[in-house]
Amino acid sequence: MAVIKADAYGHGAIECGRVALEHGASHLAVARIWEAIRLRRAGITAPILVLGGPNPSTVDLAIEQKLTLSIGSERAVDLALSAASRHGKPLTVHLKLDTGLHRYGFLPELATGAARRLADHHLINLEGIYAHFSSADEQDARPTRLQIDRAHAIIDALEQQGINFKYIHLPNSAATITGMCGRSNLFREGIASYGLAPSPDVRLPDGILPVMSVRANATRIFDLPKGEGVSYGLTYTAKQTERAATVPIGYADGLPRSLSNCGWFSIQDIQCPVLGRVCMDQTVVRAPIGAQEYGSVIIAGDGSQGEMTLDDIARLSGTINYEIATRFSQRMPRVYIRDGNAAGYDFPSSTDL
Ligand SMILES: *Cc1c(COP(=O)(O)O)cnc(C)c1O
């Protein structure tokens, strides 16, 4: 199950969803119903699980669009049953368990009653059951072990009552890598699908590389005179005359402002430190002598040309790579590369402007 919520962690949900399905994913998952509807409008007919709970204003859309709902509260059971009856149409659902994350899902003692109500309704297809781990990306395996044990106890009890599931899915990326998957036959893969490690404690297998690189072309190459400051607040002063490049990317594009005076870009394979503050739309970096105006600047990628990785950016700005990936914004045009060639573009089209 390819998790492509938040526009595929900033990578483009429609393209990533299609690629995942071509390469063996049986299901897609998103967080919100609107994300799923966007995929349907793009012509994607595969099963889509909405991870977040349904609400009264969107449950009808879920039925119309043949989405799979996560049911994790009594109120959500009510919604699912009444909407299915009202439409007279089947509704596929996965029962969401709260085995310890305590975010969404049924506590163990409430799960059986809810499963019974869903299973007894002739229009509800209770296809799956799942839970989400709190700490699968950490070294201590005990919380994950406990969550697996709790999920198994519920699933066993339901099976004894004759309620069986086509899909059981406990693991996220981290648990898939560490193998803490319990009885699962479906795997919700998010961060690792984008070539990003779930955490410093859970590394990716060798050969899996980041999908995203972030690039721009320098808009100006100039010599910053000795003693002059640069960018808002003049927080960096040139100790001697130095070559600099203005790059059209800023915090409105998702580059953290906290990289001011501490991140770096790559120009001609050379690490070029950020000079002064990251602005909303532009950033100034030191440039090699041979830097060209309109020449390529790599802001982030797999690090093979000296650029920051998303892990570097996350570390320097006190967050996780998930947040860095998801915040690279819609304002930046996307180019999809397949087998080394540009295979698609996602530019703001004239009709969107
Ligand atoms: C986001 C999410 C995932 C994917 O997690 P990764 O760590 O990115 O693999 C899986 N399941 C649920 C419920 C999620 O919200």
Side-chain angles (χ1 to χ4, degrees):
M1 177 181 282
V3 180
I4 55 168
K5 62 190 176 187
D7 207 18
Y9 294 39
H11 294 70
I14 293 168
E15 290 288 334
C16 292
R18 286 196 184 123
V19 169
L21 292 167
E22 273 172 38
H23 291 269
S26 58
H27 293 67
L28 302 176
V30 294
R32 311 262 164 83
I33 203 141
W34 297 111
E35 298 181 293
I37 287 171
R38 205 177 138 231
L39 298 172
R40 285 284 185 256
R41 291 205 175 131
I44 292 175
T45 56
I48 304 174
L49 174 66
V50 182
L51 298 165
N55 70 58
S57 60
T58 53
V59 68
D60 297 291
L61 279 168
I63 294 191
E64 278 164 29
Q65 300 285 334
K66 297 194 165 61
L67 304 177
T68 304
L69 292 181
S70 296
I71 304 297
S73 71
E74 286 300 334
R75 189 77 188 89
V77 178
D78 298 340
L79 272 180
L81 299 184
S82 64
S85 302
R86 202 165 56 245
H87 286 260
K89 284 189 185 156
L91 173 61
T92 300
V93 302
H94 288 203
L95 192 73
K96 175 73 193 290
L97 305 174
D98 177 3
T99 56
L101 178 62
H102 301 314
R103 201 171 66 176
Y104 183 60
F106 286 102
L107 288 168
E109 57 272 27
L110 299 174
T112 7
R116 183 84 272 155
R117 288 180 69 204
L118 291 163
D120 286 347
H121 193 287
H122 68 293
L123 288 170
I124 301 284
N125 170 23
L126 180 51
E127 180 193 58
I129 187 164
Y130 77 104
H132 193 38
F133 293 134
S134 64
S135 316
D137 60 346
E138 290 178 9
Q139 253 162 18
D140 184 357
R142 283 170 299 182
T144 309
R145 189 73 262 158
L146 177 64
Q147 285 192 270
I148 292 173
D149 291 343
R150 287 175 175 166
H152 284 178
I154 298 167
I155 295 165
D156 290 346
L158 290 172
E159 284 173 348
Q160 267 160 28
Q161 295 184 28
I163 300 176
N164 295 287
F165 300 93
K166 184 167 176 198
Y167 298 111
I168 297 172
H169 48 109
L170 306 180
N172 54 5
S173 297
T176 304
I177 292 168
T178 61
M180 303 276 292
C181 301
R183 288 181 53 189
S184 303
N185 60 357
L186 189 61
F187 305 79
R188 296 186 312 279
E189 302 305 313
I191 197 81
S193 333
Y194 308 104
L196 300 170
S199 75
D201 285 339
V202 177
R203 293 263 140 231
L204 292 172
D206 281 348
I208 298 188
L209 297 174
V211 169
M212 181 193 289
S213 74
V214 181
R215 289 154 193 263
N217 297 303
T219 43
R220 178 183 178 219
I221 304 290
F222 64 103
D223 286 326
L224 181 64
K226 177 179 179 182
E228 289 290 303
V230 61
S231 191
Y232 291 125
L234 307 177
T235 59
Y236 176 82
T237 304
K239 287 190 193 66
Q240 67 239 341
T241 297
E242 59 183 295
R243 185 126 316 162
T246 306
V247 183
I249 184 168
Y251 60 79
D253 300 291
L255 189 73
R257 186 169 175 276
S258 49
L259 294 182
S260 299
N261 287 310
C262 80
W264 70 91
F265 300 168
S266 162
I267 300 176
Q268 296 172 345
D269 292 358
I270 292 166
Q271 294 192 347
C272 303
V274 172
L275 305 181
R277 289 194 182 138
V278 172
C279 308
M280 187 185 289
D281 319 301
Q282 307 183 66
T283 301
V284 178
V285 293
R286 186 174 297 145
I289 292 306
Q292 301 286 318
E293 253 167 36
Y294 310 118
S296 172
V297 179
I298 309 178
I299 290 112
D302 63 14
S304 62
Q305 287 163 277
E307 74 274 23
M308 293 182 287
T309 61
L310 297 200
D311 292 331
D312 290 324
I313 299 179
R315 185 171 30 78
L316 291 171
S317 47
T319 184
I320 54 174
N321 54 12
Y322 292 71
E323 186 181 352
I324 300 302
T326 53
R327 62 194 265 177
F328 279 120
S329 74
Q330 288 292 330
R331 190 170 78 173
M332 287 207 294
R334 292 202 187 93
V335 182
Y336 298 98
I337 311 285
R338 191 183 285 237
D339 302 326
N341 299 309
Y345 299 89
D346 210 347
F347 289 176
S349 70
S350 53
T351 52
D352 296 336
L353 296 176

